[in-house]
Amino acid sequence: MSLTQLVGIFLAAILTENYILCKFFGICPFLGVSKKLDTALGMSAAVTFVMVLATAVTWPIYTFILVPKELDYLQTLVFILVIAGLVQLVEIVLKKYMPPLYNALGIYLPLITTNCAVLGVTMLVLDKGVENPSFGYIASLVNALGAGIGFLVAMVMFAGVRERLESCDIPKSLQGLPITLVSASLVACSFLGFNGIVDKLLQ
Amino acid sequence: MAEKKPLIKELTKGIIKENPVLCLVLGTCPTLAVTTGVSSALGMGVAATAVLVCSNAVISALRKVIPNKVRIPAYITIIAAFVTIVQMIVKAYAPSLNDALGVYLPLIVVNCIILGRAEMFASKNKVLPSALDGLGMGIGFTAALFLMGSIREILGAGSWFGLPIPVISSSPILIFILPPGGFFVFGMLMAAANKINSKPVKKTEEIGCAACPMRGSCGKLAEGEECAK
C-alpha cells in the first residue's frame, strides 16, 4: 500500500466517512460533551487514543487467532472485552506514569468502553479488509487514527456552534436536545460537501 | 388480579411514557443510522428487542449471583453473548437484513438502552417484570425507529417498505435519507414528544442523563450543571 493511498484513507476517514456526522457513531458523547471546548477536546483525545490502540490489538487477534480457529462469530464478544480490558489497562498505566495526561483525560477514559465509535472502528476496518485484501494492518491503523481525528474535528466544530446557541431565543419545545440535533443536522450538511473530494484529490 | 396490574404497567410504560428513544434519549446511534428505510429500522428494532428481553431476564435471574463490583463487565458479557446469537440468526435467516444493518447489528452490544435497563431495572427486579420491562422498552424502541424510518423513507426515497408512493416518488427529497436528514427528523420528533408530554425540556434531559450509562462521559453530571438537581 503506497503512501498516497494511506493519505487517502486518512483524509477519507476524517471528511467523507466522519464517524459522528456520516456514520452516527458516538452520538451520546457528541451530544453530551460538546458543550464546552475543553471537555470536547479531552474526550476526543481519549477516544482517538483508545481507537488506535484498540485497532492495534483487535486486528491481530481477529486475523491470527479467531479466523484460523474459525471462531470469528465470537468477534463481538471478544472485541468488547478486549476494549474494556484495554481501557482499564490504559487508565492504570497513565495514572502511574503520566499523571498530567491521566488528569486531563480523567473521567472520560472508563466510559469510552461503551462508546460505539471505538467498537465500530475496530469492526469496520476488518470489513474493509475483507472487501479489499490490500487493506492491511497499517491501513487499518491509519484509518483508526483518521476516525479519531474526524471525531475531534466534529466535536470541536460543534462545540463552537453550541456556544452560539446558548444566547439564542429558542421556542420552548425545541429547547435543549431538539435544537441541538437540528444544528447537528446543519453541521452534517456541511460535511456532505466533502463527498467525492478525496477520490478526486488522489486521482 | 392485583398482581397483574403492575406487570402490565411494566410493559406499557416503555412504549409511550418512558419511550427510550424520544423521552429517555437512549440508543441514539442506531436510531439515526438505520432509519434510512422502514424495513431496516424494523429489523433493528426487533433484533434489539430480542436482545433486551433475553439479557434482562438473564441478568435479573443472576442478580444475586453477580458481585456488585464486577456487575458492568458481567452485564456486557451477557449482552454480547445474546447479540452474537441474534447476529448468527439474522445472518442465517435474513441475509439481506444483515447487509442492511451491517456493523450496527453487533453494535447493539453498546446500545445504551440495553445496559441502561440492565442497570436500572433488571438488577433490582424479578425475572418476569424484567422480561416485560425489556419487551416494553423494546417495543417503544421499535416504534420510534419505525416512525423515523417511515418519515425518512417516504420523504427521502418516495417509498414505503420499498413500495413507491405516487406523488413523492417522482421527486423525493434526497436529504432526508442522508445523515443531516436523520439528525433533523430526530430533533423534530423529540420536539414533538416534548410538546405532547408538555413537560419542561430540562426534566426529560435529566431523566436521560440519569438513565444513560454514558452519563459520566457526557460531562453534564460531572460538571454538576444541569443534572445535579
Side-chain angles (χ1 to χ4, degrees), chain B residues 156-183:
Chain B
S159 61
W160 198 58
F161 279 108
L163 299 168
I165 286 171
V167 185
I168 314 168
S169 63
S170 54
S171 58
I173 314 163
L174 188 64
I175 193 101
F176 275 97
I177 53 171
L178 294 173
F183 282 113

Short mmCIF file of all heavy atoms in Angstrom, two decimals, chain B residues 156-183:
data_model
loop_
_atom_site.label_atom_id
_atom_site.label_comp_id
_atom_site.label_asym_id
_atom_site.label_seq_id
_atom_site.Cartn_x
_atom_site.Cartn_y
_atom_site.Cartn_z
N GLY B 156 -37.64 10.89 1.80
CA GLY B 156 -36.33 10.87 1.17
C GLY B 156 -36.24 9.96 -0.03
O GLY B 156 -35.47 10.23 -0.96
N ALA B 157 -37.00 8.87 -0.04
CA ALA B 157 -36.90 7.94 -1.17
C ALA B 157 -38.23 7.81 -1.91
O ALA B 157 -38.30 7.18 -2.95
CB ALA B 157 -36.45 6.57 -0.68
N GLY B 158 -39.28 8.41 -1.36
CA GLY B 158 -40.58 8.35 -2.02
C GLY B 158 -41.18 6.96 -2.03
O GLY B 158 -41.93 6.60 -2.93
N SER B 159 -40.85 6.16 -1.03
CA SER B 159 -41.43 4.82 -0.99
C SER B 159 -41.67 4.43 0.46
O SER B 159 -41.23 5.12 1.39
CB SER B 159 -40.49 3.81 -1.65
OG SER B 159 -39.26 3.78 -0.96
N TRP B 160 -42.38 3.32 0.64
CA TRP B 160 -42.62 2.82 1.99
C TRP B 160 -42.52 1.32 1.94
O TRP B 160 -43.21 0.68 1.16
CB TRP B 160 -44.01 3.26 2.47
CG TRP B 160 -44.17 3.18 3.95
CD1 TRP B 160 -43.41 3.81 4.89
CD2 TRP B 160 -45.16 2.44 4.66
NE1 TRP B 160 -43.85 3.50 6.14
CE2 TRP B 160 -44.92 2.67 6.04
CE3 TRP B 160 -46.21 1.62 4.29
CZ2 TRP B 160 -45.70 2.09 7.03
CZ3 TRP B 160 -46.99 1.05 5.29
CH2 TRP B 160 -46.73 1.29 6.64
N PHE B 161 -41.62 0.73 2.69
CA PHE B 161 -41.30 -0.70 2.57
C PHE B 161 -40.89 -1.04 1.14
O PHE B 161 -41.18 -2.12 0.64
CB PHE B 161 -42.49 -1.58 2.97
CG PHE B 161 -42.63 -1.74 4.45
CD1 PHE B 161 -43.65 -1.13 5.14
CD2 PHE B 161 -41.71 -2.50 5.17
CE1 PHE B 161 -43.76 -1.28 6.52
CE2 PHE B 161 -41.83 -2.66 6.54
CZ PHE B 161 -42.85 -2.04 7.21
N GLY B 162 -40.26 -0.08 0.45
CA GLY B 162 -39.83 -0.34 -0.92
C GLY B 162 -40.89 -0.11 -1.96
O GLY B 162 -40.61 -0.13 -3.16
N LEU B 163 -42.16 0.10 -1.51
CA LEU B 163 -43.23 0.35 -2.49
C LEU B 163 -43.27 1.83 -2.81
O LEU B 163 -43.33 2.65 -1.90
CB LEU B 163 -44.58 -0.07 -1.92
CG LEU B 163 -44.72 -1.54 -1.53
CD1 LEU B 163 -45.97 -1.75 -0.70
CD2 LEU B 163 -44.75 -2.40 -2.77
N PRO B 164 -43.22 2.19 -4.09
CA PRO B 164 -43.22 3.62 -4.42
C PRO B 164 -44.54 4.30 -4.07
O PRO B 164 -45.61 3.70 -4.18
CB PRO B 164 -42.99 3.63 -5.94
CG PRO B 164 -43.31 2.26 -6.40
CD PRO B 164 -43.09 1.33 -5.26
N ILE B 165 -44.43 5.53 -3.62
CA ILE B 165 -45.63 6.31 -3.29
C ILE B 165 -45.83 7.31 -4.42
O ILE B 165 -44.89 8.03 -4.78
CB ILE B 165 -45.44 7.02 -1.94
CG1 ILE B 165 -45.56 5.97 -0.83
CG2 ILE B 165 -46.46 8.12 -1.74
CD1 ILE B 165 -45.18 6.48 0.51
N PRO B 166 -47.04 7.36 -5.00
CA PRO B 166 -47.28 8.06 -6.27
C PRO B 166 -46.64 9.44 -6.42
O PRO B 166 -45.74 9.60 -7.24
CB PRO B 166 -48.81 8.15 -6.32
CG PRO B 166 -49.29 7.05 -5.48
CD PRO B 166 -48.24 6.74 -4.47
N VAL B 167 -47.06 10.40 -5.61
CA VAL B 167 -46.66 11.78 -5.90
C VAL B 167 -45.18 12.03 -5.58
O VAL B 167 -44.44 12.63 -6.36
CB VAL B 167 -47.55 12.77 -5.12
CG1 VAL B 167 -47.21 14.20 -5.50
CG2 VAL B 167 -49.00 12.45 -5.36
N ILE B 168 -44.76 11.51 -4.41
CA ILE B 168 -43.43 11.87 -3.93
C ILE B 168 -42.33 11.15 -4.70
O ILE B 168 -41.23 11.68 -4.86
CB ILE B 168 -43.29 11.58 -2.42
CG1 ILE B 168 -44.52 12.10 -1.70
CG2 ILE B 168 -42.05 12.21 -1.86
CD1 ILE B 168 -44.64 11.64 -0.28
N SER B 169 -42.63 9.92 -5.18
CA SER B 169 -41.54 9.12 -5.74
C SER B 169 -40.93 9.74 -6.99
O SER B 169 -39.81 9.40 -7.38
CB SER B 169 -42.04 7.70 -6.05
OG SER B 169 -43.03 7.76 -7.03
N SER B 170 -41.65 10.67 -7.65
CA SER B 170 -41.05 11.28 -8.83
C SER B 170 -39.95 12.26 -8.45
O SER B 170 -38.97 12.41 -9.17
CB SER B 170 -42.12 11.98 -9.67
OG SER B 170 -42.82 12.89 -8.84
N SER B 171 -40.10 12.93 -7.29
CA SER B 171 -39.04 13.85 -6.89
C SER B 171 -38.86 13.80 -5.37
O SER B 171 -39.31 14.68 -4.66
CB SER B 171 -39.36 15.28 -7.33
OG SER B 171 -40.59 15.66 -6.78
N PRO B 172 -38.23 12.75 -4.88
CA PRO B 172 -38.02 12.64 -3.43
C PRO B 172 -37.02 13.68 -2.94
O PRO B 172 -36.19 14.16 -3.71
CB PRO B 172 -37.49 11.23 -3.25
CG PRO B 172 -36.91 10.87 -4.56
CD PRO B 172 -37.67 11.61 -5.60
N ILE B 173 -37.15 14.01 -1.65
CA ILE B 173 -36.22 14.97 -1.05
C ILE B 173 -35.05 14.16 -0.50
O ILE B 173 -35.07 13.70 0.64
CB ILE B 173 -36.90 15.75 0.09
CG1 ILE B 173 -38.28 16.23 -0.36
CG2 ILE B 173 -36.05 16.93 0.52
CD1 ILE B 173 -39.19 16.64 0.77
N LEU B 174 -34.04 14.03 -1.31
CA LEU B 174 -32.94 13.10 -1.02
C LEU B 174 -32.30 13.34 0.34
O LEU B 174 -31.87 12.41 1.01
CB LEU B 174 -31.90 13.20 -2.14
CG LEU B 174 -30.78 12.16 -2.09
CD1 LEU B 174 -31.35 10.78 -2.29
CD2 LEU B 174 -29.73 12.47 -3.13
N ILE B 175 -32.27 14.59 0.78
CA ILE B 175 -31.53 14.92 2.00
C ILE B 175 -32.05 14.14 3.21
O ILE B 175 -31.31 13.89 4.16
CB ILE B 175 -31.58 16.44 2.26
CG1 ILE B 175 -30.56 16.88 3.33
CG2 ILE B 175 -32.95 16.91 2.69
CD1 ILE B 175 -29.35 17.48 2.78
N PHE B 176 -33.31 13.71 3.17
CA PHE B 176 -33.86 13.03 4.33
C PHE B 176 -33.26 11.65 4.57
O PHE B 176 -33.27 11.16 5.69
CB PHE B 176 -35.39 12.92 4.24
CG PHE B 176 -36.07 14.15 4.73
CD1 PHE B 176 -36.49 15.13 3.85
CD2 PHE B 176 -36.26 14.35 6.09
CE1 PHE B 176 -37.09 16.28 4.32
CE2 PHE B 176 -36.87 15.50 6.56
CZ PHE B 176 -37.29 16.47 5.67
N ILE B 177 -32.76 11.00 3.51
CA ILE B 177 -32.10 9.72 3.82
C ILE B 177 -30.60 9.89 4.00
O ILE B 177 -29.90 8.95 4.32
CB ILE B 177 -32.39 8.61 2.78
CG1 ILE B 177 -32.09 9.07 1.38
CG2 ILE B 177 -33.80 8.10 2.91
CD1 ILE B 177 -32.16 7.94 0.39
N LEU B 178 -30.10 11.10 3.82
CA LEU B 178 -28.69 11.36 4.10
C LEU B 178 -28.55 11.72 5.59
O LEU B 178 -29.54 12.04 6.24
CB LEU B 178 -28.21 12.50 3.21
CG LEU B 178 -28.18 12.17 1.71
CD1 LEU B 178 -27.85 13.39 0.90
CD2 LEU B 178 -27.20 11.05 1.43
N PRO B 179 -27.32 11.65 6.11
CA PRO B 179 -27.14 11.91 7.55
C PRO B 179 -27.82 13.17 8.10
O PRO B 179 -28.48 13.08 9.13
CB PRO B 179 -25.62 11.99 7.68
CG PRO B 179 -25.10 11.11 6.62
CD PRO B 179 -26.07 11.21 5.48
N PRO B 180 -27.71 14.34 7.44
CA PRO B 180 -28.35 15.52 8.04
C PRO B 180 -29.84 15.32 8.27
O PRO B 180 -30.38 15.78 9.28
CB PRO B 180 -28.11 16.63 7.00
CG PRO B 180 -26.98 16.17 6.20
CD PRO B 180 -27.01 14.68 6.19
N GLY B 181 -30.50 14.65 7.34
CA GLY B 181 -31.94 14.39 7.48
C GLY B 181 -32.23 13.60 8.74
O GLY B 181 -33.24 13.82 9.42
N GLY B 182 -31.34 12.66 9.08
CA GLY B 182 -31.52 11.86 10.28
C GLY B 182 -31.53 12.73 11.52
O GLY B 182 -32.44 12.64 12.35
N PHE B 183 -30.54 13.60 11.62
CA PHE B 183 -30.47 14.50 12.77
C PHE B 183 -31.72 15.37 12.84
O PHE B 183 -32.32 15.58 13.89
CB PHE B 183 -29.24 15.41 12.68
CG PHE B 183 -27.95 14.75 13.06
CD1 PHE B 183 -26.96 14.52 12.12
CD2 PHE B 183 -27.72 14.36 14.37
CE1 PHE B 183 -25.77 13.93 12.47
CE2 PHE B 183 -26.52 13.77 14.72
CZ PHE B 183 -25.55 13.56 13.77
#
